[in-house]
Amino acid sequence: MRTRRLVTLVAALLAIVLAPAAAQAAPATWSPPSNLVTPLNQVWQHQEQTYNGGNLYGFRNYGWDQIMANGGYVNYCVRWDSTATVTAAQRDQIHATLARQHKKWMDELVGHNAWPYGDVPVKVVGWAVRNRSQLQWTDTSVDIYVNDIRENAPQCSVPCGRFFNQNGQYPNCPGGYARHYDQSLWLTDGFGGGAGGDWGQRVGREYYMANLNTVNVHILLHEIGHTWGLDDFYDWTPTGVSNFIMLAGSSTSITAFDGWMLRDWWRHLKSRYGY
Ligand SMILES: [Zn+2]
């Protein structure tokens, strides 16, 4: 039937038009929708009350600080906390997946409130592993750290890690600043759920490898949110919002509310970077 078909066609065209629009630049100014104003205020008040004593504003290793120190990129180390082997192709897929998920958060900032970057590339500069033979490549595209164990897991070099050098200087990192890492992607065999913070993100190795091509790797997205300062909502929920990535288990994607919570962080911190 013609009419029906036309409706379907219009819907399909709308989907094509709307899909890219969703990934385009964020609003230029601080202008949250009216229904999000109250919950956003509640979240920031809760942040200040929970992390008062100067820690909220005094802490200097948020994702914000890392990207600003670098001038617009983030360096990662992969902590391969696993007995599995990794091919070069898998290595590159792991990087690509991380970059796609990271970009989903960064896209919420593009063009917004003097945020200076259109793109924040993810570089993987190192891999940490228990046994070199697990990594089935011979090229030198990443630094490899073997059997440097901390927290019962392989880690990249301490002198190269931002977590250990929060002044942003890496005088004892063999590869210098270019090979320092800001965050770790920590992939652990048999690990359920996730963890995230200024040090990076930790998820199950099986979960990550099973979701290399998933559009929204939702546990990773949630944990990256923590790296940017966003909080958990285990014991309360802001008024009028019930589904967002930082409310664990309620959304598999970054929502408008998540985006505005991220922008609220920028609004409160940007003066420290001269914006
Ligand atoms: Zn969490």
Side-chain angles (χ1 to χ4, degrees):
M1 294 230 296
R2 192 170 199 152
T3 326
R4 199 167 283 262
R5 196 168 162 213
L6 185 64
V7 169
T8 309
L9 186 64
V10 168
L13 285 171
L14 265 177
I16 290 165
V17 170
L18 290 175
Q24 274 176 9
T29 58
W30 178 256
S31 54
S34 57
N35 65 313
L36 299 184
V37 170
T38 295
L40 285 167
N41 284 339
Q42 289 171 339
V43 167
W44 199 262
Q45 273 177 19
H46 188 267
Q47 296 271 20
E48 291 192 330
Q49 286 162 5
T50 309
Y51 304 102
N52 61 7
N55 198 36
L56 177 68
Y57 296 108
F59 188 70
R60 295 274 168 174
N61 197 32
Y62 297 115
W64 307 101
D65 300 298
Q66 299 168 8
I67 270 65
M68 286 297 157
N70 292 341
Y73 64 88
V74 60
N75 280 2
Y76 265 89
C77 159
V78 175
R79 302 182 71 177
W80 190 249
D81 187 11
S82 171
T83 56
T85 56
V86 191
T87 66
Q90 286 174 322
R91 173 196 68 190
D92 296 342
Q93 282 182 299
I94 288 166
H95 180 179
T97 299
L98 177 64
R100 280 195 298 271
Q101 303 307 307
H102 185 262
K103 185 178 189 310
K104 289 175 186 289
W105 279 112
M106 296 297 92
D107 281 349
E108 298 291 333
L109 298 169
V110 174
H112 176 71
N113 200 5
W115 174 250
Y117 307 116
D119 182 35
V120 179
V122 169
K123 306 178 187 181
V124 175
V125 295
W127 269 71
V129 68
R130 283 196 174 80
N131 188 325
R132 177 63 182 86
S133 67
Q134 291 175 260
L135 308 180
Q136 301 179 333
W137 63 81
T138 53
D139 66 70
T140 56
S141 61
V142 295
D143 292 325
I144 294 171
Y145 302 96
V146 178
N147 211 30
D148 182 354
I149 303 298
R150 183 171 173 271
E151 302 154 312
N152 201 29
Q155 69 171 357
C156 290
S157 150
V158 165
C160 299
R162 165 96 190 185
F163 181 81
F164 308 101
N165 303 273
Q166 296 191 13
N167 61 1
Q169 305 293 314
Y170 306 93
N172 299 314
C173 179
Y177 197 91
R179 292 300 182 111
H180 90 281
Y181 62 97
D182 303 292
Q183 297 175 34
S184 293
L185 176 67
W186 183 357
L187 304 177
T188 299
D189 278 354
F191 186 71
D198 61 322
W199 48 269
Q201 303 86 37
R202 183 185 193 187
V203 298
R205 191 266 307 173
E206 297 88 342
Y207 170 79
Y208 195 96
M209 298 308 286
N211 286 284
L212 289 174
N213 296 310
T214 301
V215 174
N216 290 294
V217 185
H218 70 96
I219 299 177
L220 180 62
L221 286 174
H222 174 101
E223 305 308 340
I224 293 174
H226 288 318
T227 303
W228 291 83
L230 276 64
D231 211 354
D232 275 313
F233 293 85
Y234 291 136
D235 52 351
W236 74 291
T237 309
T239 302
V241 284
S242 51
N243 298 97
F244 51 103
I245 197 83
M246 297 314 294
L247 180 63
S250 73
S251 174
T252 57
S253 59
I254 295 169
T255 66
F257 186 62
D258 292 304
W260 283 107
M261 285 198 295
L262 183 72
R263 292 177 205 125
D264 212 3
W265 271 93
W266 172 242
R267 181 165 73 115
H268 284 92
L269 290 191
K270 68 191 182 89
S271 64
R272 78 162 58 163
Y273 315 112
Y275 290 95

